Amino acid sequence: MRNTVLSYFMLPLLAVASFSLNAAPASAVSTPAAIVSEVPSRLDLNTADAGSLQSALIGIGKAKAQAIVDYRDEHGAFATVDELLEVKGIGQALLDRNRDRLTVDN
């Protein structure tokens, strides 16, 4: 009985020890070069289509992306990234989250 109880406790303990010994330390994990070298460039508000805006920006869905394109079509090219605040549904917090992802090339 004593050996049976002891084996029930030892089996999970050995399994955990075995998994932790086989795990690679965080410094040994390598990242593929393709992922590291793929730095996203800034998205130009004056040339991006709705699909690009939707996929590249945080918190921008299909409707807001289309609103940005519609605003650009109606009012002309964006002069600054801050002009995005004029688009209905785009607030300061949303702009701040995406500012580093956007540019306006004139």
Side-chain angles (χ1 to χ4, degrees), residues 32-72:
I35 293 173
V36 172
S37 65
E38 189 178 316
V39 177
S41 61
R42 290 180 170 213
L43 188 64
D44 186 3
L45 278 174
N46 292 325
T47 59
D49 63 350
S52 299
L53 291 166
Q54 181 181 353
S55 64
L57 301 178
I58 300 168
I60 301 292
K62 186 176 183 179
K64 285 184 186 175
Q66 189 58 51
I68 293 169
V69 172
D70 292 344
Y71 180 89
R72 183 180 65 209

